[in-house]
Amino acid sequence: MDLALLRTFVTVHRAGSFTRAAALLGLSQPAVTSQIRTLERQLGRPLFLRQARGVTPTTIGDELAHKAAPHLDALVEITETGLDDESSLRTLHLAGPPEFTAERALPALTELTGEDGQGYALRASFGNAEETLEGLAAGHHDLAISTARPRGALLTASTLCDEEHVLVAAPKWAGQIDSGALKTVRSVKRAPAFENVPVIEAHESLPFVSRYWASVFDSRPAAPGTVVVPDLRAVLACAVAGAGLAVLPRYLCAAALERGDVVALHEPTVPPLRTYFLVVRTGTLAMPHIARAHEWLLRAAADWC
C-alpha cells in the first residue's frame, strides 16, 4: 500500500475535512479526493461519509486510522530528526497570547535551550486563540497555548492552568470611592461604587471588565473604556499611573499589588477564572522534542495556579 495514500488518509481523518487536509498537505482538494478514492478502491470499503460540512470516518476508517497513524507519526519523526546528525538543534515553535506566553511559558521553556536542553531552539509567536489554533492546525506551530478548547480530532488539548482575575486600580481611586459604597460592593453583588471610575482595557469591547462584571456583579460595566491598549502589560502600567480601574490576571499584577502600586478594589468569594489549554496536532506527541516541551510546560503550570 502506498504510504502517501495512508498519509493523506490520516490527515483527512484528523482534519475532518478534505479542504483542511489539502491545506495541511500542500495539495489541491481534488488531489486529496482522488487519493482517498484510490485507497478506498484498493481496500474495497468506504473510509469516509461525505457530509455538508466535512467528512465523518466509517467504522473501517476509524480502525485503519487507529492502526496506521502511530506508525506514520514515527516515520515522520525519523525523517524530521535525521539519522546521522544527532547534534543538530531541534526547533520548537510555540504560539500563544502575548502576556501569558511571555510571562509564564517562555521563561519555563528557556530552561530547555541550554547545554542541558538536548539541543533545543525556540521560536515564539503571539496571537489570539483563533489565530494560534489556525496556525497550529496549518502546521506553523508545534505547540499552542489557547483560552479556547479546540473541537474536532485534528487538535488535542490538555488543561494547562486557571488564571484568576483581579479588579485593581491605583490607591488614589480606592481613597476617592465612598467607603460605604465599597462595603456594599463587598457584601452584595452590586457595583455602584465603580460607575464613575475610568476603565482601562485591552479592547474596545471590554472583554476582561465585562467578564468580571457578569461573573461577580451579574451586570454590565456602566463606564466605557477610557484607555484602550492592546497588551495587558500596558493596561497594568496605565493602572499604576492612575488612569482608572482594570481587570488583570493575578500573576501579572501580583508584584504591583505587593508593592502597593495598585490595590484590589474587590475580593469576591469566588474570583472569576479563565482556563488555558496546551494544544498540539493529534499524533505529534510521538515526536520527542514536542513531547518533552509539552510535559515540561504541564509540570511548570502546577506552580502557576
Side-chain angles (χ1 to χ4, degrees):
M1 186 177 294
D2 189 340
L3 288 179
L5 298 183
L6 279 178
R7 178 170 177 259
T8 298
F9 161 73
V10 169
T11 304
V12 172
H13 185 273
R14 288 172 172 167
S17 161
F18 284 178
T19 302
R20 176 63 67 84
L24 292 171
L25 294 167
L27 301 173
S28 66
Q29 183 175 335
V32 170
T33 302
S34 176
Q35 289 188 22
I36 295 301
R37 286 176 176 169
T38 299
L39 186 58
E40 288 177 329
R41 285 196 300 270
Q42 291 180 1
L43 296 174
R45 304 287 293 274
L47 298 173
F48 296 104
L49 300 176
R50 280 67 170 175
Q51 298 180 332
R53 293 185 177 182
V55 294
T56 300
T58 63
T59 302
I60 296 299
D62 270 334
E63 183 179 350
L64 178 59
H66 179 73
K67 291 180 178 179
H71 302 290
L72 286 170
D73 291 336
L75 288 173
V76 170
E77 167 62 14
I78 291 173
T79 57
E80 291 194 355
T81 303
L83 297 174
D84 301 320
D85 187 6
E86 296 183 355
S87 63
S88 61
L89 286 175
R90 296 307 314 273
T91 300
L92 181 78
H93 295 269
L94 173 71
E99 304 86 3
F100 187 88
T101 305
E103 299 289 331
R104 292 298 203 193
L106 288 176
L109 286 176
T110 51
E111 297 181 32
L112 298 177
T113 62
E115 293 182 0
D116 296 332
Q118 298 182 5
Y120 270 63
L122 183 60
R123 302 290 184 271
S125 61
F126 299 149
N128 59 35
E130 182 179 0
E131 293 167 344
T132 56
L133 292 179
E134 286 183 355
L136 179 65
H140 301 313
H141 318 306
D142 299 313
L143 290 171
I145 297 171
S146 171
T147 55
R149 182 188 290 274
R151 297 180 179 180
L154 178 62
L155 302 177
T156 301
S158 302
T159 300
L160 188 59
C161 66
D162 290 326
E163 169 186 271
E164 178 187 346
H165 288 177
V166 189
L167 178 62
V168 301
K172 74 169 188 177
W173 285 108
Q176 292 179 25
I177 297 172
D178 179 74
S179 60
L182 276 179
K183 289 179 180 178
T184 301
V185 168
R186 293 190 176 101
S187 61
V188 298
K189 297 183 73 173
R190 293 176 59 194
F194 308 131
E195 290 180 355
N196 297 318
V197 182
V199 173
I200 314 166
E201 254 289 4
H203 192 274
E204 294 286 354
S205 64
L206 310 185
F208 286 85
V209 172
S210 295
R211 191 182 302 116
Y212 189 98
W213 252 242
S215 174
V216 176
F217 304 126
D218 195 22
S219 65
R220 295 181 178 181
T226 301
V227 178
V228 178
V229 290
D231 188 290
L232 291 179
R233 289 162 294 193
V235 170
L236 175 59
C238 292
V240 170
L245 64 79
V247 174
L248 291 166
R250 184 172 289 277
Y251 77 85
L252 195 61
C253 62
L257 285 167
E258 186 174 349
R259 292 191 303 266
D261 295 339
V262 293
V263 296
L265 296 178
H266 184 42
E267 295 284 359
T269 304
V270 181
L273 300 176
R274 182 168 67 164
T275 301
Y276 284 95
F277 300 96
L278 185 58
V279 191
V280 297
R281 289 187 304 283
T282 301
T284 57
L285 288 180
M287 301 180 182
H289 74 297
I290 297 179
R292 185 162 185 250
H294 184 272
E295 181 183 359
W296 193 274
L297 282 175
L298 290 178
R299 286 206 310 264
D303 297 325
W304 300 341
C305 300

